[in-house]
Amino acid sequence: MPPAIPSMTDWLIAIVLNAVLLGLLAIAPKKLLTPGGIVNAWILGVIVWGCLGWRGYLLVVFYFLVGSGVTFVGKAQKEALGIAEARSGARGAGNVWGSALVGAICALLVLGLNVTQFAIDFIPLLALGYVASFCTKLSDTCGTEIGKAYGQRTFLITTLKPVPRGTEGAVSLEGTIAGVVGSVAIAIVGWSLGLISPIGIGICAIAAFVATTIESLIGATIEDKVPFLTHDVVNILNTLIGAIVAISIGLLLPR
């Protein structure tokens, strides 16, 4: 069933709720977002709540809390090795849109189709792409952070030669397992919120695995060689691949 077309009240709730929640984050002792990150997270939150309602919004909240939390796993060890996230893990504007631009576009497309009543049968596929984009990003975050903290044997994905933890394009068994667990966990949340069907859980997990594998290949081969391929741009490509793979699989299944 398509989400209800948002009313002016829905948009006002989105504006006020995000202002309150992000205001609390701004004054919290532990900074999870930079000032620029807070402003852009407010924009993202308003878009998601306005387009997909509280269900879509809670999925983003789950991603943010788990993604931020896993960044602090083994933080002291990662800092000692010089491979910890910058700004002590606080997310900036680039991080916000690197993680959520594709999801926001899916949400806006859902709203557009819902309002115009054009091709509304495509809305469930866009919702699947929305969930898959966050599954992909959480898989990437969990795999990277757990791999950097606990990876015992880290290999470059293109050559399978051992490399230090934190190397672009490196993979480890521990990180790979963590990535799969992260993607399945948020996919289950998406299903419990009514955004995807039970089979969508498997689709999102597959899409996330494919996308993060491709991202590792990009990191190992061309990320450092192409000027515009910043970390945030690669994250956008990663989530876009995840969404496209999920939607493509969804199109092949009987509806």
Side-chain angles (χ1 to χ4, degrees):
M1 179 182 295
I5 296 174
S7 64
M8 184 60 69
T9 301
D10 294 320
W11 287 108
L12 288 174
I13 290 173
I15 290 168
V16 173
L17 177 66
N18 278 279
V20 171
L21 293 179
L22 290 167
L24 292 174
L25 273 182
I27 63 175
K30 188 65 181 177
K31 302 303 180 185
L32 298 180
L33 290 164
T34 67
I38 288 173
V39 172
N40 285 271
W42 180 85
I43 296 171
L44 170 66
V46 171
I47 290 172
V48 169
W49 185 288
C51 295
L52 297 177
W54 62 269
R55 293 175 177 84
Y57 188 82
L58 283 183
L59 188 85
V60 178
V61 170
F62 181 86
Y63 160 74
F64 175 69
L65 292 177
V66 175
S68 296
V70 77
T71 302
F72 295 101
V73 173
K75 182 183 175 186
Q77 182 181 3
K78 286 184 282 190
E79 286 179 337
L81 293 172
I83 55 175
E85 284 290 313
R87 301 186 299 263
S88 298
R91 266 58 173 176
N95 299 117
V96 170
W97 295 115
S99 302
L101 178 62
V102 173
I105 291 172
C106 288
L108 287 167
L109 289 173
V110 167
L111 177 63
L113 297 186
N114 198 17
V115 169
T116 62
Q117 292 294 290
F118 175 76
I120 58 173
D121 289 343
F122 198 67
I123 288 178
L125 289 171
L126 286 171
L128 179 65
Y130 173 82
V131 176
S133 71
F134 286 104
C135 287
T136 300
K137 191 64 194 77
L138 188 60
S139 176
D140 175 39
T141 301
C142 290
T144 298
E145 296 301 330
I146 298 302
K148 288 193 293 187
Y150 300 116
Q152 296 300 306
R153 302 177 68 190
T154 308
F155 304 92
L156 195 65
I157 192 170
T158 51
T159 63
L160 297 184
K161 292 182 178 179
V163 291
R165 297 180 195 175
T167 302
E168 290 293 343
V171 295
S172 67
L173 176 62
E174 295 82 0
T176 301
I177 292 173
V180 172
V181 171
S183 66
V184 171
I186 193 169
I188 290 173
V189 171
W191 164 70
S192 68
L193 292 170
L195 294 170
I196 58 174
S197 65
I199 197 171
I201 298 172
I203 293 173
C204 287
I206 292 169
F209 184 79
V210 170
T212 52
T213 300
I214 294 174
E215 190 215 24
S216 294
L217 288 170
I218 292 172
T221 55
I222 63 173
E223 183 172 347
D224 292 335
K225 299 178 178 65
V226 179
F228 71 85
L229 277 182
T230 65
H231 185 66
D232 295 329
V233 171
V234 172
N235 282 335
I236 292 171
L237 291 174
N238 185 28
T239 53
L240 178 62
I241 293 168
I244 290 173
V245 170
I247 291 172
S248 299
I249 295 173
L251 282 169
L252 295 174
L253 297 178
R255 286 178 285 167

